[in-house]
């Protein structure tokens, strides 16, 4: 019960967009995430005012959107690569593996590929602008067994 209470009413899920304003794909992803967040807030309000059956939907009710133009820290990059199954070249231009990605990021932050959307709570990430993948990430909720 505590997990359920904390998960629903405690800290919000945070989704981070690593953004580059002059990149058209990144701007489209930012718009998509802003719209999804606005809809989730509207649905959460509707659900609170209506029956409790509506809250059983397999969709996240709210999330906090964090937009940053900075590249990730080394620790964040390690997590992102883990979330993506080690696909270093999707995240760092020309990288062959995690250690190469970390080296390239430290040498030049511009090698980091944007847009990149990360759900830190669920341990998932989407590299690029795939609307369907991003919306699947935004709409999914962590399983109760995944919460600590």
């Amino acid at each position: 019960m505590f997990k359920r209470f904390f998960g629903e009413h405690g800290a919000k899920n945070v989704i981070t967009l690593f953004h580059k304003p002059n990149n058209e794909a990144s701007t489209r992803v930012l718009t998509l995430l802003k719209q999804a967040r606005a809809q989730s807030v509207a649905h959460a309000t509707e659900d609170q005012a209506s029956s409790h059956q509506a809250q059983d939907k397999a969709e996240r009710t709210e999330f906090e959107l964090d937009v940053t133009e900075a590249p990730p820290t080394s620790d964040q990059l390690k997590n992102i690569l883990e979330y993506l199954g080690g696909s270093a070249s999707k995240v760092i231009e020309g990288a062959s593996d995690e250690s190469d990605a970390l080296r390239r990021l430290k040498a030049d932050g511009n090698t980091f590929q944007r847009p990149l959307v990360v759900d830190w709570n669920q341990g998932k990430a989407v590299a690029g602008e795939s609307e369907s993948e991003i919306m699947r990430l935004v709409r999914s909720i962590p399983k109760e067994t995944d919460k600590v």
Side-chain angles (χ1 to χ4, degrees):
M1 183 69 162
F2 177 73
K3 286 182 186 178
R4 181 177 167 95
F5 177 80
F6 184 78
E8 289 180 3
H9 302 288
K12 289 182 185 173
N13 290 322
V14 176
I15 293 181
T16 298
L17 169 62
F18 289 94
H19 179 56
K20 188 171 188 176
N22 61 352
N23 177 313
E24 286 183 29
S26 189
T27 301
R28 283 191 296 272
V29 169
L30 176 59
T31 301
L32 177 69
L33 289 170
K34 284 181 175 180
Q35 290 171 344
R37 184 175 185 294
Q39 288 175 348
S40 73
V41 170
H43 286 299
T45 304
E46 288 172 13
D47 288 350
Q48 290 168 0
S50 65
S51 76
H52 293 286
Q53 290 175 340
Q55 294 178 7
D56 291 336
K57 292 184 289 185
E59 288 190 15
R60 172 187 319 224
T61 55
E62 279 188 75
F63 64 92
E64 184 176 317
L65 179 58
D66 172 40
V67 180
T68 181
E69 294 178 28
T73 65
S74 295
D75 287 339
Q76 287 175 325
L77 180 60
K78 287 178 187 177
N79 287 332
I80 291 166
L81 292 175
E82 181 182 316
Y83 301 163
L84 292 172
S87 302
S89 63
K90 284 185 178 179
V91 181
I92 302 293
E93 188 177 321
S96 58
D97 59 23
E98 182 180 314
S99 60
D100 187 33
L102 289 165
R103 183 185 58 75
R104 288 175 184 261
L105 179 64
K106 285 181 183 175
D108 182 3
N110 290 324
T111 60
F112 179 69
Q113 302 294 301
R114 295 173 183 92
L116 183 95
V117 180
V118 182
D119 182 327
W120 303 105
N121 296 32
Q122 292 189 79
K124 295 181 181 180
V126 176
E129 64 173 318
S130 171
E131 182 175 335
S132 61
E133 287 183 49
I134 293 168
M135 291 310 296
R136 189 171 23 250
L137 178 128
V138 167
R139 290 183 179 138
S140 65
I141 57 173
K143 296 175 187 172
E144 286 297 318
T145 57
D146 292 345
K147 294 181 183 177
V148 179

